[in-house]
Amino acid sequence: MQHLEKAVAEVATSAVDKLYAPFPFGRRTLRNRIVMAPMTRNCSPNGVPGEAVAAYYARRASGGAGLIVTEGTCIDHPAANGYRDVPAFHGAGLEGWERVMRAVHAEGALIMPQLWHVGAVRRRGMEPDSGVPGYGPMDEFENGERVVHAMTEEDIDAVAASYARGARSAHSLGFDGVEIHGAHGYLLDQFLWRESNRRDDQYGGTIANRARFPAKVVAAMRAAVPADFPIVFRFSQWKMTDYKARIAEDPTELGEVLRPLADAGVDLFHASTRRFWEPAFEGSPENLAACARRVTGKPLIAVGSVGLAQQHETRRLRTRDNVGSEVADLTRLRECLERDDFDLVAVGRGMLADAQWANKVRAGGVSTLNALTPEMLQVLT
Ligand SMILES: Cc1cc2nc3c(=O)[nH]c(=O)nc-3n(C[C@H](O)[C@H](O)[C@H](O)COP(=O)(O)O)c2cc1C
């Protein structure tokens, strides 16, 4: 019996230690498998991340994270932004990002920007040019007024070129890679999702057509940076407006969505789920990251409630009443790592609660972590 307990404890330790094993990332090496998930903080007035933002990311780097994915940062297309005080990845925003990057590198972590276009989520009145409507797969009207402009082929090419400029800037500034925000119901995901894309041209209809624009973005970025500069694509089934939404109904469809992106130049996929361990599809216990890894053959980042106690099923991630104060153990993460389901794991809210997440878990386990409070979602600390 004692022997068995010892064996179980050893397996547990070795699997958790896997979290701290290095991982190759382009020309560089991640010091561990722990990624800070991208989280919008609305703290960059005029699109410029300032000293406080640099210090915020540097704290997570000094807390041991191997890789930081920045909050969504807008490409230089006029309709990219949908929210107040989010950072831009162009113009004066780049100086701010360079400061963030240096601060993170000084603490031994790697960092990549998450390039963002909100698509049809944008409404007039938003920065930088308040007259610009949302841009999306289809026209949308509210009270007789057109609030979203259906993108033409020229618009599609312009956005792809804008993403490519973002990738080029990331590379030339010295970032370690770039992530494409292709998830949660923003522009690229609006094209991927049947419900938001009813186009009848080459960008709508079949899965291959719906994936064409995201693949075009990837190809444009790939052509703009060296072959060994990592391009990560973040995708999700769920949307901000619909937690039950799906871009793929089964593993075969998931492959049809993701393989054109891999062929266009994606190096890693980032499967965004609310709970990383949940089965992706009926009939198999396989989680979304594991399934994506299997159908693409690419490395995967998993994310969703790592270290957090069970959340309300239906409530929005960011609302105050959906903040569980409990820290959860890493049993499920351990099981997934033991099975080699995915390669890296991203921690979002857990790392807002405790900047020292990676170091503390290694030194003393999850019981040493700070619990999450609603205030932590509101302020930058
Ligand atoms: C405050 C907040 C802001 C977020 N902003 C982004 C974002 O800019 N881009 C993105 O892809 N996901 C965003 N997310 C989703 C997170 O990256 C992550 O996938 C989600 O919080 C689940 O991980 P967690 O359970 O570890 O928090 C955000 C989440 C939170 C809580």
Side-chain angles (χ1 to χ4, degrees):
M1 191 62 197
Q2 241 184 353
H3 176 72
L4 184 67
E5 273 170 12
K6 189 165 170 271
V8 169
E10 272 169 10
V11 170
T13 314
S14 70
V16 170
D17 279 348
K18 225 173 157 178
L19 262 179
Y20 296 91
F23 186 76
F25 197 72
R27 274 188 218 174
R28 299 178 185 153
T29 303
L30 296 173
R31 61 184 166 188
N32 60 42
R33 309 297 181 92
I34 302 166
V35 179
M36 179 182 180
M39 283 176 288
T40 293
R41 305 314 313 270
N42 307 93
C43 286
S44 299
N46 304 312
V48 183
E51 296 284 357
V53 175
Y56 156 83
Y57 283 113
R59 270 193 291 280
R60 272 75 194 171
S62 99
L67 173 65
I68 299 226
V69 184
T70 74
E71 63 206 282
T73 175
C74 296
I75 56 170
D76 66 359
H77 183 264
N81 179 30
Y83 303 98
R84 70 172 172 83
D85 296 341
V86 303
F89 205 73
H90 55 92
L94 288 180
E95 287 160 37
W97 278 123
E98 190 171 7
R99 180 168 43 213
V100 172
M101 182 194 75
R102 290 190 193 289
V104 165
H105 281 165
E107 298 293 349
L110 302 190
I111 178 167
M112 58 181 178
Q114 188 191 49
L115 298 187
W116 195 18
H117 190 303
V118 302
V121 168
R122 178 183 171 86
R123 286 293 174 273
R124 281 195 182 82
M126 194 46 63
E127 305 153 11
D129 179 347
S130 63
V132 176
Y135 274 46
M138 299 181 300
D139 280 329
E140 286 178 36
F141 295 87
E142 281 170 11
N143 303 319
E145 187 204 351
R146 189 166 69 159
V147 293
V148 177
H149 156 78
M151 290 173 70
T152 62
E153 300 225 351
E154 291 71 39
D155 295 326
I156 283 172
D157 291 345
V159 168
S162 178
Y163 265 104
R165 284 193 293 277
R168 196 175 298 120
S169 297
H171 176 257
S172 62
L173 283 173
F175 280 85
D176 305 293
V178 67
E179 177 166 290
I180 302 168
H181 196 338
H184 306 167
Y186 294 110
L187 181 66
L188 301 179
D189 197 27
Q190 287 157 20
F191 274 76
L192 289 177
W193 191 32
R194 201 185 313 265
E195 296 300 316
S196 47
N197 180 354
R198 304 273 183 195
R199 294 173 73 105
D200 54 13
D201 65 356
Q202 59 165 327
Y203 295 103
T206 62
I207 294 183
N209 280 359
R210 281 184 271 131
R212 195 181 304 279
F213 173 33
K216 190 168 215 176
V217 165
V218 174
M221 291 170 69
R222 186 78 279 164
V225 292
D228 58 3
F229 188 69
I231 296 178
V232 179
F233 191 96
R234 191 174 223 223
F235 71 96
S236 66
Q237 296 273 42
W238 66 272
K239 319 294 162 220
M240 297 285 280
T241 52
D242 184 353
Y243 281 136
K244 301 266 177 243
R246 283 168 172 247
I247 52 172
E249 294 298 332
D250 54 40
T252 306
E253 285 195 1
L254 188 67
E256 290 171 17
V257 171
L258 299 183
R259 271 195 300 271
L261 307 176
D263 292 345
V266 168
D267 298 295
L268 283 94
F269 286 98
H270 189 168
S272 172
T273 61
R274 299 188 69 200
R275 287 166 283 273
F276 71 89
W277 62 88
E278 286 182 348
F281 302 106
E282 264 175 38
S284 159
E286 195 176 46
N287 59 64
L288 188 64
C291 187
R293 194 178 195 255
R294 181 169 59 77
V295 298
T296 63
K298 296 288 179 186
L300 252 292
I301 309 174
V303 68
S305 301
V306 174
L308 295 179
Q310 191 76 31
Q311 314 282 301
H312 289 289
E313 178 68 23
T314 51
R315 296 203 192 134
R316 296 181 66 139
L317 280 174
R318 306 199 209 170
T319 46
R320 296 173 67 89
D321 64 352
N322 198 22
V323 176
S325 58
E326 302 290 308
V327 164
D329 71 22
L330 300 181
T331 307
R332 288 192 181 106
L333 181 59
R334 199 175 70 215
E335 287 166 1
C336 288
L337 289 170
E338 278 166 14
R339 276 198 307 268
D340 237 355
D341 279 354
F342 40 74
D343 304 272
L344 304 174
V345 62
V347 180
R349 289 164 296 167
M351 226 180 261
L352 293 185
D354 206 321
Q356 289 286 322
W357 200 97
N359 288 343
K360 278 190 173 179
V361 167
R362 186 170 208 180
V366 288
S367 62
T368 63
L369 292 171
N370 298 336
L372 183 69
T373 66
E375 288 65 38
M376 289 167 174
L377 293 181
Q378 315 299 329
V379 294
L380 199 69
T381 55

